[in-house]
Amino acid sequence: METLGPVSETGAERRQLDVELGERRYPIFIGRNLLSDPDCYRPYIAGERVMIVSNETVAPLYLDAVRRGLDGFEINQVILPDGECYKDLTTLNRIFDALLERRCGRDVTLIALGGGVVGDMAGFAAACYQRGVAFIQVPTTLLAQVDSSVGGKTGVNHPAGKNMIGAFHQPRAVIADTATLETLPDRELSAGLAEVVKYGLIGDSPFFDWLEDRVPALCDRDATALAAAIARSCQNKARIVAADERESGQRALLNLGHSFGHAIEAGMGYGTWLHGEAVGVGLVMAAQLSERLGWLEPDASARILDLVTRCGLPTVPPNSMPSERWLELMAVDKKVQRGRLRLVLLKGIGNALLTADVDVEQLRATLEGPEAHGD
Ligand code: NAD
Ligand code: GLY
């Protein structure tokens, strides 16, 4: 794939990118104060009724603004409990209950207002309700704005494995209002940066270089830097999704660090570690394993550790999981093929590959690394 060139910090006010999926092509709007802009919604709403899906933290902050943007439509809403531990079939059912109570038909449009948990659940409900209805993503966390709202992966967790029940279902539009990030807790901002760093690592070394320079501005919530990082991440994701919507090839690279991260999330109990925190450690572990295998220069591995640290993310895994438990959890991964673990590893910064060629003893050594800490 063609390289993207230098990162642009201009045009921070409002940008539009498109996910090129033929007839299902859709826009990603990125900018400030988009929540109440009817032009972001109107063309993408199927009928006259909408069901806003949000949670008890985000709704008090942003539901009214979204409602203003939907003037003229019949607005319904369902407010879910907040937390990764609620990303399950029981909570999903509350969305179906609300849709059925309101007698919503196939022309209803779901609007997901919140972070990745709300987005994944509302998207999955839209994929299933009456065999599929329209939905719009309105992501309000950095993680959701750079990653989860784009690409149509929807679903819920199972106690045995992360995101194990789900569907591919693309949104009609993604509306990323960067002003919402002003209320995001610091820990959540850092969690989002893990997915941002991932894009630099998998195929965009100029972005990684830019991040090394601009991470202090990102942590300080500099609006120009944040808008640039969101746009560049979405540009990377949109290209990959357009080329491999259903993950038969290169889309798997978006899972760099996630085999380790998902094992931490499931093993520690959903919500104990934030998804982005688990991915941050996963990026470091993927780099360390790649280095052990002789694929990644120690200098590159050190740069990765340094950037993840500067993002305010944890860099060592919990030591409360013995390696057998790790391997058991990692075996429940969507990349496992014919019982064989496949991992996304690195041959350089901006050069990731999916491989089954992993020596289990080297993997075990990485899992048991002297760096593991207690909690
Ligand atoms: P989240 O949805 O739990 O949101 C994090 C916290 O921030 C929550 O407490 C939420 O209520 C709160 N919040 C959201 N917006 C806020 C705002 N503007 N101000 C204040 N608080 C706000 O977590 P997340 O990190 O957004 O998403 C993680 C989820 O996304 C995981 O379940 C992960 O599996 C999923 N994910 C999906 C994809 C995909 O492609 N579908 C990709 C990456 C991650
Ligand atoms: N976050 C992984 C994907 O969208 O494919």
Side-chain angles (χ1 to χ4, degrees):
M1 205 174 269
E2 202 183 302
T3 53
L4 286 170
V7 176
S8 162
E9 291 198 36
T10 56
E13 281 315 298
R14 186 179 283 215
R15 308 176 199 225
Q16 179 181 333
L17 305 169
D18 293 306
V19 183
E20 300 292 352
L21 286 170
E23 288 176 356
R24 289 173 300 118
R25 168 184 215 253
Y26 59 90
I28 307 170
F29 300 110
I30 302 164
R32 294 181 68 78
N33 306 322
L34 304 181
L35 286 186
S36 301
D37 184 345
D39 293 339
C40 292
Y41 301 93
R42 200 165 283 280
Y44 311 102
I45 292 178
E48 280 156 20
R49 307 179 92 184
V50 299
M51 175 67 75
I52 303 175
V53 182
S54 191
N55 74 21
E56 56 203 13
T57 304
V58 178
L61 295 169
Y62 300 116
L63 188 66
D64 285 347
V66 171
R67 290 180 73 101
R68 284 196 293 281
L70 293 167
D71 193 31
F73 291 94
E74 181 197 306
I75 304 172
N76 301 281
Q77 62 193 50
V78 52
I79 309 301
L80 305 176
D82 183 8
E84 184 75 39
C85 59
Y86 295 106
K87 187 177 159 184
D88 58 15
L89 289 170
T90 307
T91 311
L92 182 76
N93 217 27
R94 290 176 58 165
I95 306 177
F96 298 133
D97 289 345
L99 288 163
L100 287 163
E101 267 162 30
R102 301 298 304 162
R103 302 266 185 276
C104 292
R106 276 194 166 155
D107 59 350
V108 68
T109 299
L110 271 63
I111 298 190
L113 172 67
V117 169
V118 164
D120 280 11
M121 281 202 289
F124 189 33
C128 303
Y129 186 66
Q130 299 200 8
R131 301 200 178 89
V133 297
F135 88 111
I136 293 174
Q137 289 272 18
V138 187
T140 61
T141 62
L142 180 61
L143 187 138
Q145 294 188 353
V146 298
D147 196 342
S148 63
S149 63
V150 175
K153 277 192 183 175
T154 72
V156 295
N157 300 327
H158 186 279
K162 178 87 181 144
N163 296 333
M164 277 294 142
I165 304 160
F168 285 99
H169 188 55
Q170 298 293 342
R172 293 278 180 97
V174 178
I175 303 166
D177 187 330
T178 51
T180 61
L181 301 181
E182 283 161 17
T183 55
L184 197 64
D186 287 342
R187 190 178 165 199
E188 298 291 349
L189 189 85
S190 290
L193 289 175
E195 300 281 14
V196 173
V197 171
K198 173 189 83 177
Y199 289 110
L201 286 174
I202 62 179
D204 191 355
S205 62
F207 187 32
F208 189 91
D209 297 344
W210 180 87
L211 287 169
E212 286 185 312
D213 185 37
R214 297 295 275 153
V215 81
L218 292 168
C219 290
D220 280 349
R221 299 173 195 239
D222 176 288
T224 309
L226 277 172
I230 295 164
R232 183 67 165 219
S233 301
C234 287
Q235 217 177 338
N236 273 292
K237 183 146 189 187
R239 281 168 22 131
I240 293 174
V241 169
D244 178 24
E245 184 184 4
R246 297 267 170 155
E247 199 167 308
S248 51
Q250 62 168 288
R251 186 164 181 174
L253 301 181
L254 291 171
N255 282 305
L256 177 67
H258 285 57
S259 301
F260 298 103
H262 286 169
I264 293 174
E265 287 187 84
M268 300 304 288
Y270 295 118
T272 309
W273 280 56
L274 301 182
H275 174 72
E277 291 173 339
V279 169
V281 174
L283 297 176
V284 172
M285 294 175 83
Q288 287 167 349
L289 177 56
S290 306
E291 186 186 342
R292 271 181 207 279
L293 293 167
W295 295 354
L296 186 69
E297 294 294 327
D299 178 49
S301 186
R303 281 175 68 194
I304 295 166
L305 175 62
D306 180 58
L307 184 58
V308 173
T309 307
R310 290 166 67 221
C311 287
L313 288 160
T315 54
V316 287
N319 70 358
S320 48
M321 288 208 304
S323 60
E324 284 317 311
R325 176 72 179 136
W326 271 102
L327 293 171
E328 187 182 290
L329 287 161
M330 289 174 79
V332 189
D333 184 287
K334 292 186 284 312
K335 291 183 297 305
V336 170
Q337 212 173 50
R338 290 183 219 104
R340 239 183 133 187
L341 186 62
R342 296 187 305 159
L343 291 174
V344 183
L345 295 178
L346 292 166
K347 292 218 158 165
I349 287 172
N351 184 7
L353 78 165
L354 177 66
T355 178
D357 187 16
V358 178
D359 180 292
V360 76
E361 289 316 313
Q362 302 275 38
L363 172 59
R364 206 185 287 275
T366 302
L367 300 174
E368 289 170 354
E371 305 89 352
H373 72 60
D375 67 330

